[in-house]
Amino acid sequence: MTQELAPTLSDQPAAQSAHSAGWWRDAVIYQVYVRSFADSDGDGIGDLRGARERLPYLADLGVDAVWLTPFYASPQADGGYDVADYRAVDPLFGDLSDADDLVREAHRLGLRIIVDIVPNHTSDQHVWFQAALAGGPGVPERELYHFRPGKGVDGELPPNDWESVFGGPAWTRTADGDWYLHLFAPAQPDLNWENPAVREEFESVLRFWLDLGVDGFRIDVAHGMIKAAGLPDLGVREQAKLIGAQVLPFFDQDGVHEIHRSWRRLLDSYEGERIGVAEAWAPSAERLALYVRPDELHQAFNFQFLTCAWGAEAMRKVIDESLTATASVGAPTTWVLSNHDVVRHTTRYGGKDTGLRRARAAALLTLALPGSTYVYQGEELGLPEVEDLPDAVRQDPAFFRGDGQDGMRDGCRVPLPWSGTTAPYGFGTGGSWLPQPDSWKDLSAQAQTGDPRSTLELYRSALALRRELPGLGDGGMEWLDGPEGVLVFARPGLVCTLNTLAAEVELPVPGRPVLATAALEFTGRAVRIPRETCVWWAV
Ligand code: NOJ
């Protein structure tokens, strides 16, 4: 008998099931890459009003919170991660009242809102940097950044040998001969966090957004603000990876933890459990766990899981290492498969049918694991990376400077298909800033809604079940025996099986199937699980 599993759509509004105390320990948080989510004014670029209008879709999907990528005033040299004014909304995305409306509407729907904060660097158009440049060597504003004289006879060589994450030297020389440090693009000068004025300013910026009602911050480059004393040479040519585990004198320095502790005190001084999530690239699960000690941040993205190759042994190892490390500090693990900086996981896992099959299975796996999960916009539609963007439309600074970080990040940032059969597929009325493939007409939210085999309905069912089944979310798990290539683990009342193999496997039926990424075949007391399939069983 072949059994097609009906989606169990939740009839509970998000407001009723959103957790209160410790809500972040098992929250499902949806990442909105604002410029590619929904465009309300027809300029081809997503905006805050567009995002607000689509909030009911996210509440219906069943997520608990939404993380918005930077929408602040910015020359957009790095998709808004170059902020010129941390208290203003860029006109591309709307204005402050749009931000206010979005937060209010999200709360009305029972969704929390997390915004991005970019403390490692500002835009070169920020008033501080402009004053530092205009004032010349020795002005106090230069102490807000890392300005240094160069090496060589005339200071013509950079102060040290560090390379920028986007390729090329991490230093740029100014007209007056001084150099300034930028771990990313030259338009993103690094702030000097040893200067108390920088710390004070950021506390004030955090308060500004907390007062507006946001529920927390995703902290960009949370491991980068403190540089090793004396800015020592590396001694070797090594370009820092955007998502990497290298040990470098400008990443994961112990001094960053004091900043996070002070931010935690600030977050805790507000009502309603406001949170901080670290975008930190640490060399090991143990080093990453330091960011989520009880007096530091609430969550840290588990990039070791994101970068793990498909396969039972490797995945089990990362899961074990992550859970052990975070448990040692009493924190949950924060699972993530994709974001706006990496090739979409359908493509990373092999692309086409194989990639989609594995991506769906990986989604069910992560949603069954203990902890919190982030969902990157479009993964619920099973979107692949757009790999054939013409050079002329690309905007990622890494494309212009580097040797190709993570496959050039524009391919995962193509605007979402919502409805209809021609581009921009309901994204807006005026086109889209990156071209959408013709094949996306079949992947739109509208095309997938109501089709029980679609990836969208799979996510809806999984998120509904996460709320219904008390054993999912925060808590413990136990590995059970399974054949080679098959992961089997138990949560209270639930068993999850993941067949990672490219061949079907037969198992004794572990329980009552509640959700599966492919049709199962039952023969007496056994079940045949197709290749690369994940199943949740009620026990
Ligand atoms: C990480 C962000 O996710 C990425 O998009 C950005 O380029 C760098 N930080 C620099 O801000």
Side-chain angles (χ1 to χ4, degrees), residues 108 110 213 288 305 316 367 418 453 457 474 477 509:
R108 199 183 65 75
L288 186 65
F305 184 69
R316 180 170 169 161
L367 290 168
W418 289 96
R453 284 185 226 182
E457 294 298 359
D474 201 14
M477 66 169 268
V509 175

Side-chain angles (χ1 to χ4, degrees), residues 63 71 90-91 98 213 263 291 367 415 431-432 446 466 495 535:
V63 301
F71 48 77
D90 196 284
D98 293 319
W263 285 17
Y291 290 79
L367 290 168
S432 68
Q446 184 187 49
R466 241 179 103 96
V495 165
V535 190

Side-chain angles (χ1 to χ4, degrees), residues 78 81 118 121 166 184 188 218 220-221 242 279 281 340-341 409 413:
D78 179 21
Y81 284 96
V118 189
H121 43 266
F166 293 153
F184 296 89
Q188 294 165 295
R218 177 268 191 189
D220 189 65
V221 198
L242 187 52
E279 188 237 3
W281 326 328
H340 63 292
D341 290 328
R409 300 170 298 167
R413 299 176 177 179

